[in-house]
Amino acid sequence: MHTNIDTHRIVSICEDTLETPNVKTLIFQDNLSFKAKPGQFLMVWIPGVEELPMSVMVSNTNDNAAITVKKYGIGSTALFQKKKGDVIGIRGPYGNYFRVSKKQKKVILIGGGTGLVPLMRLSVILNKMQISCTLIIGARSKPEILFYNFAKKILQNTKHKIIVTTEDGSFGIKGYPTDALIKILEHDKFDMAYTCGPELMMKKVYDISISYDLSLQASLERYMKCGVGICASCCINDKLVCTDGTVFNNKELKMMTDFGLIYRNKSGIKSHY
Amino acid sequence: MHTNIDTHRIVSICEDTLETPNVKTLIFQDNLSFKAKPGQFLMVWIPGVEELPMSVMVSNTNDNAAITVKKYGIGSTALFQKKKGDVIGIRGPYGNYFRVSKKQKKVILIGGGTGLVPLMRLSVILNKMQISCTLIIGARSKPEILFYNFAKKILQNTKHKIIVTTEDGSFGIKGYPTDALIKILEHDKFDMAYTCGPELMMKKVYDISISYDLSLQASLERYMKCGVGICASCCINDKLVCTDGTVFNNKELKMMTDFGLIYRNKSGIKSHY
Amino acid sequence: MKRSTKDILAVNLAGISLDNPLILASGFLGISQEIFTRLYHEFEVGAIVSKSISLNPMEGYRGPTVVPLENFNFLNAVGLSNPGSDSFSNEIKNNDVPLLVSLVGSQENEFPKLIKKFDKLCILGYEVNLSCPHVAKMGMEVGDDIELVYRIIKRIKSVTTKPVIIKIGIGNTNIVKIAEIAQDAGANAITAINTIRAMKIDIKTERPILSNKFGGLSGKAIKPIGIRSVYEISKNLNIPVVGCGGIFSWEDVIEYMLAGSSAVQIGSSIGYLGMSVFKEIKKGIMDYIKKKDLKNIMEIIGNAHKY
Amino acid sequence: MKRSTKDILAVNLAGISLDNPLILASGFLGISQEIFTRLYHEFEVGAIVSKSISLNPMEGYRGPTVVPLENFNFLNAVGLSNPGSDSFSNEIKNNDVPLLVSLVGSQENEFPKLIKKFDKLCILGYEVNLSCPHVAKMGMEVGDDIELVYRIIKRIKSVTTKPVIIKIGIGNTNIVKIAEIAQDAGANAITAINTIRAMKIDIKTERPILSNKFGGLSGKAIKPIGIRSVYEISKNLNIPVVGCGGIFSWEDVIEYMLAGSSAVQIGSSIGYLGMSVFKEIKKGIMDYIKKKDLKNIMEIIGNAHKY
Ligand SMILES: Cc1cc2nc3c(=O)[nH]c(=O)nc-3n(C[C@H](O)[C@H](O)[C@H](O)COP(=O)(O)OP(=O)(O)OC[C@H]3O[C@@H](n4cnc5c(N)ncnc54)[C@H](O)[C@@H]3O)c2cc1C
Ligand SMILES: Cc1cc2nc3c(=O)[nH]c(=O)nc-3n(C[C@H](O)[C@H](O)[C@H](O)COP(=O)(O)OP(=O)(O)OC[C@H]3O[C@@H](n4cnc5c(N)ncnc54)[C@H](O)[C@@H]3O)c2cc1C
Ligand SMILES: Cc1cc2nc3c(=O)[nH]c(=O)nc-3n(C[C@H](O)[C@H](O)[C@H](O)COP(=O)(O)O)c2cc1C
Ligand SMILES: Cc1cc2nc3c(=O)[nH]c(=O)nc-3n(C[C@H](O)[C@H](O)[C@H](O)COP(=O)(O)O)c2cc1C
Ligand code: FES
Ligand code: FES
């Protein structure tokens, strides 16, 4: 029915799953989001509270889509509190997406926090294309690890390895996902790396990719108001994350002198990370 | 390009032909009008002067359409003065149209003045469907006879008879087209009659059709402002000529107590013919 | 007890009971009694507002007077053409459908004369058009003169006991302010909004298309402005508001009612969807009411004010 | 002698020469110098108007602040969020593209302070936003106060020699009247129109979607109102008018110029067609000029006034 991706679609949540004590996945029926490509995002209206960009998560059933939200400030906390039967408004999916080519035989994914969401959608495709895949899941501690079992399931038909890093060492390797990445790159080669997570983590991934001559696609997150390229609140240097991105490659990232250093706050003032 | 029939299309006249000293055919390129059905009309904007409803005339070449205008008041005179290279605005085609069915073997057409225009478009179809056709062309005098040779040409592949009546007897049969109609009906039968012309003429045709138990389709002309069913300036009883018509059958005409008697003037006041 | 359609959809507007909240807007099909009868019986409108009637007949402007625009809009400058009060009171002398007569005039003393022609007839009441944006000395120019508005309404109320609805629009005065003046003067309800002054120029001929150059914009384009106006007016006034502008679907009607409309008027969509738009919208609202299990559609009026 | 593209499209606006008449409207992409540079070099805009800048930073409203609507429209209430004059003057300190700084304030004495921050920088001049329809005490509420408008402009003109464009909109005052006041006070040009106060209510949640409830309507819906405004203003004033509202194609630009615009501003279409809309429109205008064999696009300005 809705052919216009831009006008709000009000959807009922038909399933909610607690992923960790602070992270919840909300599933709803929406054909347009069901077809979203990995890395694309929705603008999610939490009625009466806020509108927030959220990456499209994997859902298992046809015509369904999902988002996975981490409790944080006012907006995300209100969204986190939504449960089965509640309604939210969505528009999109917006933005470009992770590119996968048949020539890629072996890829590596580095995700931190809810940055793992687009990487899950990407994993579904890698699995289907039978591309060999190493996934690094970064978390602060064991209870915060996202999608460990889920990833195993959606990667089951392709050769894969899942590595978890925790900052406190309560599970998997102690340290940051970027530490794990360097270790792996010491003795292994990949056709492409994909990353999403906190910008500082992605900046490190980028720096590493340069050292190791690794092709990279990073999905950036910036403060977004419109999602459609008119307000510039999401800008990083001369690029708009919502329409030129969210996914940028090494070449583009190289030109972004603000990447990992400077963001704009709600007023549009440049601030340092 | 234009898929919206409602917004004005500005077209250049590519050919103009004088049909009689007071009647001119203007040809222009327009795919939507080219596909118009017989009886449908355009709203024609004469820039700076007026907008008038005009039946769609036959044009010979693909993608072209035509109108045939008779010099009368301010609007039609300005339109009559348009020539090759001039521009007019058109919207439409609007309205319903003459219905033709394969079951009809033999039909009769009664036209007066520019009312012959939709009958020409109808004739093209009758010719194609090889339906036997008697056409009565009514005119005041010889110089005002419309489409006599043209009708012969477009009816060439079907059995046809063309009868001309003139009020002054300067050509064909002296009298009104309705006189000729009665004479023909005395000894001949038809599956359908089609008429367009002055309302008083059509009213007579209708009365005759009742006496002779003849099926009839009449294309009515009323003062039109919008052409799309919102202003009611074209109303006749509870029908809108622009959207319920212009073509009505015996059954519908029977309910129209105003038919041939009462019309509404520019202010919407009921007036007698 | 099963409720009938009538009960569920019935609304009360300034003392007038309507079968349903869908009213034909003024200027649409508004001059013929036979069409009114058809609209009521065949298309099930809740009520009809006539074309705005002036004391004397008006021919209106030369064509083009109605210009369809992209995206389901119209631009019009018919010049308030209408048969005048004598002819129109004769037209509706045997009226038996729910009809409001729309009145237009440029001077205060025209209105009592107008009322005199219609007050004995079987009509629901009046709508006073103070908001036509393209006829000099009528409509909007009147509507922008706050003192004149007050006097006209006072005068009308002094000569009739029938309900009087004041139709206002987006002109050069704050719409809430005019509405308040109207309420103070005794208006029984407000209709908002009328068309908005606008223009289209054809780039090939370099001419404004309307013969009057300027006209009024109606249709989908103005709905967000209509919704805002209804919300603001109904939040500030005590008398009911009738929403108008860009209604094409039952969802649009619900949006207007949530904003605070007690009933709605529908015009331009007839040009794109035909008269059957009334029946289709009615059906949509019925389904909505059933799904939400409401007792009556009036329950939702102004619900958006909570936020 | 063959004319270059630049000659054919160049326009003069209140003493400012622009490569072409296509200006980025205020509030669109208007906070980043790097984006300004990209718009000028990659997308060939004629000039850029910055986001409206206030003395101090403003966070703006919570989301949703921008609501895309049907038929290529937007409703927005960003709440004039902007980095403030200190931060923004630092942002553009090395500017070398044709930039107008848009100013907004609620009090007369804020404007001289604003001018002080920007007057030494390499900018073309100022646009003063007197027409934001949804921020209390800023924009429209200022724009509707005719005497305040006069004083603000006088004050601004007394502290800068740079051209000052006044941006007005559809508020509660006759737009021609405000334009005339602005001209009298010394404005060098008028931009018309801004967004129009409007609202959208979601019928499932029964809530206004914008966090601020009310916002401004922009996009295709408002073009006929913009055209009318430009026509009326330019017919009555001597200073140039910049048309704004609903421009999506080269045909729209031509229509605005025939109505009397010396240049145009483009906003909402970027959201539906991308920044490349500037280049595409520019190409369309070039073809138009060639077909009509004009020496310069300025020849058509106000041609529709003949009728
Ligand atoms: C493309 C994209 C995809 C995202 N995907 C997810 C996801 O899948 N799951 C998830 O939990 N979060 C995701 N986020 C982050 C999310 O949009 C919010 O930023 C986060 O939930 C915090 O919002 P808040 O209102 O609770 O925080 P607040 O307390 O309001 O703000 C905290 C910080 O969050 C950031 N923020 C707030 N509002 C926005 C906004 N409208 N756009 C971007 N950043 C904002 C700002 O940096 C702000 O300083 C995504 C962000 C982007 C840009
Ligand atoms: C469906 C339809 C098809 C028509 N087809 C043709 C055609 O093919 N060729 C042709 O020459 N004429 C046609 N006409 C008639 C034409 O529209 C004009 O009515 C006629 O040309 C006289 O217009 P005018 O402005 O010159 O006359 P005016 O001097 O302005 O008016 C003379 C009379 O013409 C009638 N008239 C004027 N304007 C209109 C109008 N907008 N709509 C209807 N009647 C009007 C009125 O009865 C008026 O009293 C058609 C009319 C209709 C309704
Ligand atoms: C052709 C036309 C004629 C109109 N005539 C009148 C009128 O006579 N009196 C009046 O109050 N409003 C008149 N209007 C305004 C409508 O009643 C209505 O307020 C407006 O069109 C907005 O509603 P819509 O978007 O549903 O059409 C007219 C509108 C149109 C398009
Ligand atoms: C999101 C958004 C933000 C805007 N911010 C401003 C602003 O800060 N100052 C201003 O003068 N106009 C602002 N406007 C109005 C535009 O400059 C423009 O006048 C209006 O959008 C109409 O043009 P359009 O239809 O091309 O968008 C804004 C419009 C939008 C949609
Ligand atoms: S979020 Fe508005 S431009 Fe990207
Ligand atoms: S011409 Fe307007 S309703 Fe028929």
Side-chain angles (χ1 to χ4, degrees):
Chain A
M1 215 180 76
H2 252 281
T3 47
N4 184 344
I5 65 160
D6 284 315
T7 52
H8 282 92
R9 309 183 294 278
I10 310 298
V11 296
S12 266
I13 292 159
C14 54
E15 216 183 302
D16 59 305
T17 316
L18 210 60
E19 306 282 357
T20 77
N22 293 317
V23 177
K24 201 191 242 180
T25 296
L26 305 171
I27 301 183
F28 46 87
Q29 204 195 328
D30 183 60
N31 184 265
L32 285 173
S33 316
F34 170 70
K35 292 184 200 146
K37 304 222 163 92
Q40 286 196 304
F41 65 95
L42 300 172
M43 292 302 290
V44 178
W45 177 40
I46 308 123
V49 185
E50 188 45 289
E51 185 175 49
L52 289 176
M54 288 281 147
S55 299
V56 186
M57 175 58 186
V58 178
S59 72
N60 295 315
T61 40
N62 249 12
D63 271 8
N64 274 3
I67 52 174
T68 299
V69 58
K70 181 170 182 170
K71 197 168 135 184
Y72 189 76
I74 300 179
S76 56
T77 302
L79 187 56
F80 176 83
Q81 282 158 355
K82 295 283 170 199
K83 51 188 191 309
K84 193 173 164 172
D86 290 345
V87 297
I88 53 174
I90 54 170
R91 56 188 176 95
Y94 292 122
N96 70 0
Y97 44 88
F98 288 127
R99 304 287 168 153
V100 186
S101 104
K102 280 182 194 153
K103 281 188 237 148
Q104 296 166 4
K105 299 290 169 217
K106 208 171 150 196
V107 304
I108 185 161
L109 280 52
I110 309 99
T114 54
L116 282 154
V117 172
L119 297 182
M120 288 302 103
R121 243 183 133 76
L122 175 63
S123 295
V124 171
I125 290 172
L126 297 173
N127 187 59
K128 215 177 271 165
M129 293 174 77
Q130 307 227 334
I131 294 170
S132 164
C133 163
T134 299
L135 168 66
I136 308 178
I137 296 178
R140 241 170 244 169
S141 64
K142 193 176 167 190
E144 289 180 44
I145 298 167
L146 267 182
F147 306 137
Y148 183 54
N149 291 320
F150 186 71
K152 272 193 217 161
K153 216 176 76 189
I154 56 176
L155 284 168
Q156 64 188 346
N157 296 326
T158 192
K159 222 182 121 190
H160 67 273
K161 196 190 285 180
I162 300 175
I163 294 154
V164 177
T165 65
T166 52
E167 289 176 31
D168 64 358
S170 51
F171 189 89
I173 302 169
K174 186 176 154 99
Y176 295 104
T178 41
D179 300 335
L181 176 63
I182 293 176
K183 249 183 221 152
I184 294 167
L185 291 177
E186 291 293 325
H187 56 82
D188 214 344
K189 271 200 172 332
F190 297 89
D191 302 319
M192 183 65 72
Y194 299 92
T195 187
C196 186
E199 193 161 312
L200 294 178
M201 178 201 92
M202 290 196 281
K203 177 65 162 69
K204 266 197 210 155
V205 173
Y206 167 76
D207 290 340
I208 294 165
S209 79
I210 298 300
S211 315
Y212 287 85
D213 198 20
L214 176 63
S215 294
L216 175 67
Q217 296 180 33
S219 170
L220 269 50
E221 293 188 4
R222 285 280 166 135
Y223 185 68
M224 285 183 186
K225 281 184 185 169
C226 73
V228 294
I230 66 174
C231 72
S233 67
C234 67
C235 71
I236 172 165
N237 295 93
D238 69 347
K239 294 287 182 288
L240 301 174
V241 172
C242 66
T243 49
D244 294 317
T246 60
V247 177
F248 298 96
N249 61 29
N250 312 64
K251 225 174 107 184
E252 293 165 312
L253 294 166
K254 194 177 167 188
M255 307 301 290
M256 293 183 182
T257 50
D258 289 352
F259 180 45
L261 287 175
I262 292 169
Y263 68 95
R264 288 186 189 262
N265 71 10
K266 287 195 183 183
S267 305
I269 299 177
K270 283 187 178 177
S271 320
H272 283 264
Y273 274 106
Chain B
M1 215 182 75
H2 252 280
T3 47
N4 183 344
I5 66 160
D6 285 315
T7 51
H8 282 92
R9 312 185 290 280
I10 310 298
V11 296
S12 268
I13 293 159
C14 55
E15 216 182 304
D16 59 305
T17 317
L18 211 60
E19 306 283 357
T20 77
N22 292 317
V23 177
K24 201 191 241 180
T25 296
L26 304 171
I27 300 183
F28 46 85
Q29 205 196 328
D30 183 58
N31 185 264
L32 285 173
S33 317
F34 170 70
K35 290 185 200 145
K37 304 224 162 90
Q40 287 196 303
F41 65 94
L42 300 172
M43 293 300 291
V44 179
W45 176 41
I46 310 124
V49 184
E50 191 40 294
E51 186 176 47
L52 289 176
M54 289 280 147
S55 300
V56 185
M57 175 57 189
V58 179
S59 71
N60 295 314
T61 39
N62 249 12
D63 272 8
N64 273 3
I67 51 174
T68 299
V69 56
K70 182 169 180 168
K71 195 169 137 183
Y72 188 78
I74 298 179
S76 55
T77 302
L79 187 55
F80 177 83
Q81 280 158 356
K82 295 284 171 198
K83 49 187 194 311
K84 194 174 162 172
D86 289 345
V87 298
I88 53 174
I90 54 171
R91 56 190 176 93
Y94 291 123
N96 70 0
Y97 43 88
F98 288 126
R99 304 287 167 154
V100 187
S101 104
K102 278 183 196 154
K103 282 188 236 147
Q104 296 166 4
K105 300 291 169 217
K106 209 171 148 196
V107 303
I108 186 161
L109 280 52
I110 311 99
T114 54
L116 282 154
V117 171
L119 298 182
M120 289 303 103
R121 246 186 130 75
L122 175 63
S123 296
V124 171
I125 289 172
L126 297 173
N127 187 60
K128 215 178 270 165
M129 292 174 76
Q130 306 226 335
I131 294 171
S132 164
C133 162
T134 299
L135 168 66
I136 309 179
I137 297 178
R140 242 171 242 167
S141 64
K142 193 176 167 189
E144 288 181 44
I145 298 167
L146 267 183
F147 306 138
Y148 183 55
N149 291 319
F150 186 70
K152 273 194 216 163
K153 217 175 77 189
I154 56 177
L155 284 168
Q156 63 189 347
N157 296 327
T158 192
K159 222 182 119 190
H160 68 275
K161 199 191 282 181
I162 300 176
I163 293 156
V164 177
T165 64
T166 51
E167 291 175 30
D168 64 359
S170 52
F171 190 90
I173 301 170
K174 188 179 154 99
Y176 294 104
T178 40
D179 301 334
L181 175 63
I182 294 177
K183 247 182 223 152
I184 294 168
L185 291 178
E186 290 295 323
H187 55 81
D188 215 344
K189 274 203 169 330
F190 296 90
D191 302 318
M192 183 64 73
Y194 299 93
T195 187
C196 187
E199 194 161 310
L200 294 177
M201 179 201 90
M202 290 194 281
K203 177 64 163 72
K204 269 196 209 155
V205 172
Y206 167 74
D207 290 340
I208 295 164
S209 77
I210 298 301
S211 316
Y212 289 85
D213 198 22
L214 176 64
S215 293
L216 175 65
Q217 295 182 33
S219 171
L220 271 48
E221 292 188 3
R222 285 277 164 137
Y223 185 67
M224 285 183 184
K225 280 185 187 171
C226 73
V228 294
I230 65 174
C231 72
S233 67
C234 67
C235 71
I236 171 164
N237 294 93
D238 69 346
K239 295 286 181 290
L240 301 174
V241 172
C242 67
T243 49
D244 295 317
T246 61
V247 177
F248 297 97
N249 60 29
N250 312 67
K251 224 174 106 186
E252 292 165 312
L253 293 167
K254 194 178 167 188
M255 309 300 292
M256 292 184 183
T257 51
D258 288 354
F259 181 44
L261 287 176
I262 291 168
Y263 67 95
R264 287 186 190 263
N265 70 10
K266 286 196 182 181
S267 304
I269 300 178
K270 282 187 179 178
S271 321
H272 283 264
Y273 274 108
Chain C
M1 202 186 77
K2 257 193 91 181
R3 290 183 305 268
S4 78
T5 317
K6 248 186 148 149
D7 293 338
I8 298 176
L9 286 181
V11 296
N12 189 294
L13 179 72
I16 307 169
S17 297
L18 304 180
D19 293 351
N20 70 63
L22 311 179
I23 303 175
L24 177 77
S26 180
F28 292 87
L29 306 173
I31 53 166
S32 154
Q33 179 66 57
E34 284 170 282
I35 297 216
F36 298 163
T37 304
R38 182 177 172 202
L39 278 163
Y40 183 65
H41 292 294
E42 185 177 339
F43 299 107
E44 303 172 11
V45 296
I48 289 156
V49 183
S50 77
K51 175 75 196 165
S52 294
I53 304 294
S54 52
L55 209 50
N56 297 313
M58 289 174 71
E59 282 220 341
Y61 303 129
R62 290 196 78 85
T65 52
V66 177
V67 180
L69 301 178
E70 276 188 302
N71 296 319
F72 304 96
N73 300 313
F74 281 108
L75 186 66
N76 94 83
V78 294
L80 287 175
S81 79
N82 79 85
S85 53
D86 282 332
S87 173
F88 191 67
S89 60
N90 190 47
E91 176 91 27
I92 61 169
K93 63 174 183 286
N94 298 319
N95 176 60
D96 59 358
V97 301
L99 177 66
L100 290 146
V101 176
S102 172
L103 307 177
V104 68
S106 53
Q107 281 166 24
E108 203 183 320
N109 63 7
E110 287 174 13
F111 290 93
K113 292 181 198 161
L114 278 163
I115 300 277
K116 215 170 174 182
K117 308 267 183 190
F118 296 108
D119 223 34
K120 295 244 166 64
L121 302 179
C122 169
I123 58 171
L124 298 179
Y126 304 99
E127 183 173 272
V128 183
N129 177 2
L130 296 179
S131 45
C132 177
H134 49 77
V135 179
K137 293 268 150 257
M138 287 218 170
M140 200 55 104
E141 282 185 35
V142 173
D144 280 331
D145 182 341
I146 279 186
E147 281 165 33
L148 185 54
V149 166
Y150 186 85
R151 285 203 313 268
I152 288 175
I153 299 170
K154 271 272 181 202
R155 192 72 179 271
I156 292 174
K157 287 298 293 179
S158 74
V159 292
T160 184
T161 54
K162 289 190 158 59
V164 175
I165 305 175
I166 304 299
K167 182 163 176 187
I168 59 181
I170 303 296
N172 298 321
T173 315
N174 184 317
I175 199 166
V176 177
K177 200 161 156 192
I178 316 172
E180 280 168 347
I181 297 287
Q183 175 173 277
D184 290 348
N188 301 95
I190 300 287
T191 297
I193 57 177
N194 209 311
T195 57
I196 301 175
R197 192 168 164 87
M199 184 180 216
K200 180 171 169 71
I201 296 166
D202 164 55
I203 65 167
K204 284 216 186 121
T205 59
E206 308 195 339
R207 282 177 182 277
I209 296 187
L210 283 173
S211 76
N212 185 53
K213 290 185 221 155
F214 303 110
L217 178 66
S218 63
K220 289 199 176 190
I222 68 170
K223 195 189 77 174
I225 304 171
I227 296 284
R228 177 270 288 183
S229 303
V230 166
Y231 187 101
E232 287 188 316
I233 296 167
S234 60
K235 203 146 189 174
N236 287 285
L237 267 70
N238 307 314
I239 55 177
V241 180
V242 181
C244 179
I247 294 177
F248 278 67
S249 67
W250 68 264
E251 289 95 333
D252 295 336
V253 174
I254 300 301
E255 188 176 354
Y256 264 104
M257 294 190 79
L258 292 169
S261 302
S262 296
V264 296
Q265 294 186 359
I266 298 176
S268 296
S269 57
I270 300 167
Y272 292 102
L273 307 172
M275 294 188 228
S276 58
V277 69
F278 285 99
K279 251 179 126 160
E280 279 151 28
I281 289 180
K282 192 178 154 189
K283 196 184 158 302
I285 298 177
M286 277 301 298
D287 293 346
Y288 168 86
I289 291 180
K290 281 181 190 150
K291 234 189 214 154
K292 294 209 57 160
D293 201 24
L294 302 176
K295 288 218 181 64
N296 178 282
I297 186 67
M298 285 195 288
E299 288 170 48
I300 70 163
I301 296 171
N303 269 4
H305 290 187
K306 279 186 253 167
Y307 305 105
Chain D
M1 203 186 79
K2 259 192 89 180
R3 291 184 305 266
S4 78
T5 318
K6 246 183 148 152
D7 293 338
I8 297 176
L9 286 181
V11 295
N12 189 295
L13 180 72
I16 306 168
S17 298
L18 305 180
D19 293 352
N20 69 63
L22 311 179
I23 303 175
L24 177 76
S26 179
F28 293 86
L29 306 173
I31 54 166
S32 154
Q33 179 67 56
E34 284 169 285
I35 297 217
F36 299 162
T37 304
R38 182 177 171 202
L39 278 164
Y40 184 66
H41 291 293
E42 186 177 338
F43 299 106
E44 303 173 11
V45 297
I48 288 156
V49 183
S50 78
K51 176 76 196 164
S52 293
I53 304 295
S54 52
L55 210 49
N56 298 313
M58 290 174 72
E59 282 221 343
Y61 304 129
R62 288 195 81 83
T65 52
V66 177
V67 180
L69 301 177
E70 276 189 303
N71 297 318
F72 305 96
N73 300 313
F74 281 108
L75 186 66
N76 93 83
V78 294
L80 287 174
S81 79
N82 77 86
S85 53
D86 282 332
S87 174
F88 190 68
S89 61
N90 190 46
E91 175 90 29
I92 61 169
K93 63 175 185 283
N94 297 319
N95 175 60
D96 59 358
V97 300
L99 176 66
L100 289 145
V101 175
S102 171
L103 306 177
V104 69
S106 53
Q107 281 165 24
E108 203 183 320
N109 65 6
E110 288 174 14
F111 289 93
K113 292 182 197 158
L114 278 163
I115 300 276
K116 216 168 173 182
K117 308 266 184 192
F118 296 108
D119 223 35
K120 295 244 166 63
L121 301 179
C122 170
I123 57 172
L124 297 179
Y126 304 98
E127 184 174 90
V128 183
N129 177 3
L130 296 180
S131 45
C132 178
H134 49 79
V135 179
K137 294 265 150 258
M138 286 218 169
M140 200 54 106
E141 282 184 36
V142 172
D144 281 330
D145 182 341
I146 281 188
E147 279 166 35
L148 185 55
V149 166
Y150 186 85
R151 285 203 313 268
I152 287 174
I153 299 169
K154 271 274 184 200
R155 192 73 179 271
I156 292 173
K157 287 298 295 180
S158 75
V159 293
T160 182
T161 55
K162 289 190 158 58
V164 175
I165 305 176
I166 303 299
K167 182 165 177 185
I168 60 180
I170 303 295
N172 299 321
T173 315
N174 184 316
I175 199 167
V176 177
K177 200 162 154 193
I178 318 173
E180 280 168 347
I181 296 287
Q183 175 174 277
D184 290 350
N188 302 94
I190 300 288
T191 295
I193 58 176
N194 209 311
T195 56
I196 301 175
R197 191 167 164 88
M199 182 181 219
K200 181 173 171 71
I201 296 166
D202 164 56
I203 66 167
K204 285 217 186 118
T205 59
E206 307 196 338
R207 280 177 182 279
I209 296 188
L210 284 173
S211 76
N212 185 53
K213 291 187 220 153
F214 303 108
L217 178 65
S218 63
K220 288 199 176 188
I222 68 170
K223 195 189 78 174
I225 304 171
I227 296 283
R228 178 271 288 183
S229 303
V230 166
Y231 187 100
E232 288 188 318
I233 296 168
S234 60
K235 205 148 186 171
N236 287 285
L237 268 71
N238 307 314
I239 55 176
V241 180
V242 181
C244 180
I247 293 176
F248 278 66
S249 67
W250 68 265
E251 289 96 333
D252 295 336
V253 174
I254 301 300
E255 190 177 352
Y256 264 105
M257 295 189 79
L258 292 169
S261 302
S262 297
V264 296
Q265 294 185 0
I266 297 175
S268 296
S269 57
I270 300 167
Y272 293 101
L273 307 172
M275 294 188 227
S276 58
V277 68
F278 286 100
K279 249 179 128 161
E280 278 150 30
I281 289 180
K282 190 177 156 193
K283 195 184 158 305
I285 299 177
M286 278 301 298
D287 293 347
Y288 167 87
I289 292 180
K290 280 182 192 150
K291 235 189 213 154
K292 295 211 53 158
D293 201 24
L294 303 174
K295 287 217 182 66
N296 179 283
I297 187 66
M298 284 195 288
E299 286 170 48
I300 70 163
I301 296 171
N303 269 3
H305 291 187
K306 279 186 252 166
Y307 306 105

